[in-house]
Amino acid sequence: MTDGRPTGDMDEREGDPAATQVPTSEMDLDELRAEIEDIDRELVELIARRTYVADTIAQVKSDRGMSTTDEEQEARVMERAGENAKQFEVDDNLVKAIFRLLIELNKIEQRNQR
Protein backbone atom coordinates (compact mmCIF):
# COMPACT_ATOMS: atom_id res chain seq x y z
CA MET A 1 0.00 0.00 0.00
CA THR A 2 1.77 3.05 -1.21
CA ASP A 3 -1.12 5.34 -2.16
CA GLY A 4 -3.36 5.05 0.90
CA ARG A 5 -5.75 2.57 -0.66
CA PRO A 6 -6.35 -0.85 0.84
CA THR A 7 -4.51 -3.46 -1.17
CA GLY A 8 -6.85 -6.30 -0.36
CA ASP A 9 -4.01 -8.00 1.51
CA MET A 10 -4.53 -7.27 5.18
CA ASP A 11 -1.45 -7.38 7.36
CA GLU A 12 -1.26 -8.82 10.85
CA ARG A 13 -3.67 -6.10 12.02
CA GLU A 14 -6.54 -7.63 10.00
CA GLY A 15 -9.57 -5.39 10.08
CA ASP A 16 -7.59 -2.38 11.33
CA PRO A 17 -8.46 0.59 9.08
CA ALA A 18 -5.33 2.38 10.28
CA ALA A 19 -3.27 -0.36 8.64
CA THR A 20 -4.40 0.88 5.22
CA GLN A 21 -4.36 4.66 5.70
CA VAL A 22 -1.75 7.21 4.77
CA PRO A 23 -1.14 9.95 7.36
CA THR A 24 -2.91 13.17 6.38
CA SER A 25 0.38 15.06 6.56
CA GLU A 26 1.48 13.15 3.44
CA MET A 27 -1.52 14.09 1.33
CA ASP A 28 -2.92 17.42 0.25
CA LEU A 29 -6.60 18.29 0.02
CA ASP A 30 -6.82 17.61 -3.72
CA GLU A 31 -5.30 14.15 -3.26
CA LEU A 32 -7.77 13.38 -0.49
CA ARG A 33 -10.69 14.52 -2.63
CA ALA A 34 -9.41 12.41 -5.53
CA GLU A 35 -9.29 9.44 -3.17
CA ILE A 36 -12.92 10.06 -2.14
CA GLU A 37 -13.87 10.31 -5.82
CA ASP A 38 -12.26 6.91 -6.49
CA ILE A 39 -14.01 5.37 -3.51
CA ASP A 40 -17.37 6.83 -4.59
CA ARG A 41 -16.91 5.31 -8.06
CA GLU A 42 -16.11 1.93 -6.50
CA LEU A 43 -19.17 2.17 -4.24
CA VAL A 44 -21.44 2.85 -7.21
CA GLU A 45 -19.89 -0.08 -9.09
CA LEU A 46 -20.53 -2.36 -6.11
CA ILE A 47 -24.12 -1.13 -5.80
CA ALA A 48 -24.62 -1.83 -9.51
CA ARG A 49 -23.23 -5.36 -9.10
CA ARG A 50 -25.41 -5.98 -6.05
CA THR A 51 -28.49 -4.67 -7.88
CA TYR A 52 -27.80 -6.95 -10.85
CA VAL A 53 -27.58 -10.01 -8.59
CA ALA A 54 -30.70 -8.93 -6.67
CA ASP A 55 -32.57 -8.57 -9.97
CA THR A 56 -31.48 -12.09 -10.91
CA ILE A 57 -32.71 -13.37 -7.55
CA ALA A 58 -36.03 -11.61 -8.16
CA GLN A 59 -36.39 -13.40 -11.49
CA VAL A 60 -35.65 -16.78 -9.87
CA LYS A 61 -38.19 -16.05 -7.12
CA SER A 62 -40.78 -15.04 -9.70
CA ASP A 63 -40.15 -18.16 -11.81
CA ARG A 64 -40.58 -20.33 -8.73
CA GLY A 65 -43.64 -18.49 -7.44
CA MET A 66 -41.79 -17.38 -4.31
CA SER A 67 -42.59 -14.35 -2.18
CA THR A 68 -40.62 -11.14 -2.73
CA THR A 69 -39.88 -10.89 0.99
CA ASP A 70 -37.63 -13.39 2.77
CA GLU A 71 -37.34 -12.16 6.34
CA GLU A 72 -34.84 -14.84 7.35
CA GLN A 73 -32.50 -13.88 4.51
CA GLU A 74 -32.91 -10.19 5.30
CA ALA A 75 -31.98 -10.91 8.94
CA ARG A 76 -28.85 -12.78 7.78
CA VAL A 77 -27.86 -9.87 5.53
CA MET A 78 -28.32 -7.39 8.37
CA GLU A 79 -26.35 -9.53 10.79
CA ARG A 80 -23.53 -9.90 8.28
CA ALA A 81 -23.57 -6.14 7.63
CA GLY A 82 -23.19 -5.47 11.35
CA GLU A 83 -20.33 -7.96 11.66
CA ASN A 84 -18.52 -6.43 8.69
CA ALA A 85 -19.00 -2.94 10.13
CA LYS A 86 -17.42 -4.01 13.41
CA GLN A 87 -14.52 -5.68 11.60
CA PHE A 88 -13.71 -2.43 9.82
CA GLU A 89 -14.54 -0.22 12.81
CA VAL A 90 -17.44 1.52 11.11
CA ASP A 91 -20.63 2.51 12.92
CA ASP A 92 -22.78 -0.61 12.59
CA ASN A 93 -25.99 1.45 12.77
CA LEU A 94 -24.87 3.44 9.73
CA VAL A 95 -23.95 0.32 7.78
CA LYS A 96 -27.21 -1.41 8.72
CA ALA A 97 -29.20 1.66 7.65
CA ILE A 98 -27.51 1.59 4.25
CA PHE A 99 -28.20 -2.12 3.86
CA ARG A 100 -31.82 -1.68 4.99
CA LEU A 101 -32.22 0.95 2.26
CA LEU A 102 -30.65 -1.32 -0.36
CA ILE A 103 -32.91 -4.21 0.66
CA GLU A 104 -36.06 -2.07 0.61
CA LEU A 105 -35.21 -0.60 -2.80
CA ASN A 106 -34.54 -4.09 -4.15
CA LYS A 107 -37.91 -5.32 -2.83
CA ILE A 108 -39.70 -2.38 -4.48
CA GLU A 109 -37.96 -3.20 -7.76
CA GLN A 110 -38.87 -6.88 -7.40
CA ARG A 111 -42.54 -5.99 -6.84
CA ASN A 112 -42.53 -3.70 -9.87
CA GLN A 113 -41.13 -6.46 -12.06
CA ARG A 114 -43.99 -8.86 -11.23
Side-chain angles (χ1 to χ4, degrees):
M1 171 208 52
T2 58
D3 63 1
R5 281 181 248 166
T7 61
D9 298 329
M10 299 296 271
D11 65 7
E12 62 278 354
R13 297 181 297 171
E14 176 112 10
D16 181 359
T20 60
Q21 296 174 350
V22 172
T24 55
S25 61
E26 294 180 25
M27 300 180 90
D28 69 16
L29 189 56
D30 290 337
E31 290 173 321
L32 291 167
R33 287 180 173 157
E35 183 71 12
I36 289 289
E37 186 176 328
D38 290 343
I39 292 166
D40 289 349
R41 189 176 304 109
E42 291 173 21
L43 284 170
V44 171
E45 179 182 356
L46 290 171
I47 290 168
R49 285 177 51 200
R50 190 181 197 286
T51 300
Y52 173 79
V53 173
D55 288 347
T56 304
I57 289 170
Q59 185 60 52
V60 170
K61 284 180 174 180
S62 179
D63 292 348
R64 295 180 182 176
M66 297 171 67
S67 172
T68 300
T69 301
D70 182 344
E71 292 179 8
E72 290 178 10
Q73 177 61 20
E74 289 177 27
R76 286 190 295 271
V77 170
M78 296 305 289
E79 183 176 334
R80 194 171 52 238
E83 290 169 359
N84 287 331
K86 288 176 185 170
Q87 177 184 355
F88 291 100
E89 298 180 10
V90 177
D91 181 349
D92 63 329
N93 289 320
L94 171 65
V95 171
K96 286 180 179 181
I98 292 168
F99 273 82
R100 173 59 51 209
L101 178 61
L102 290 170
I103 289 168
E104 291 304 318
L105 291 172
N106 286 335
K107 288 192 316 189
I108 289 168
E109 184 64 27
Q110 286 179 25
R111 286 186 199 109
N112 290 338
Q113 290 177 0
R114 290 188 175 211

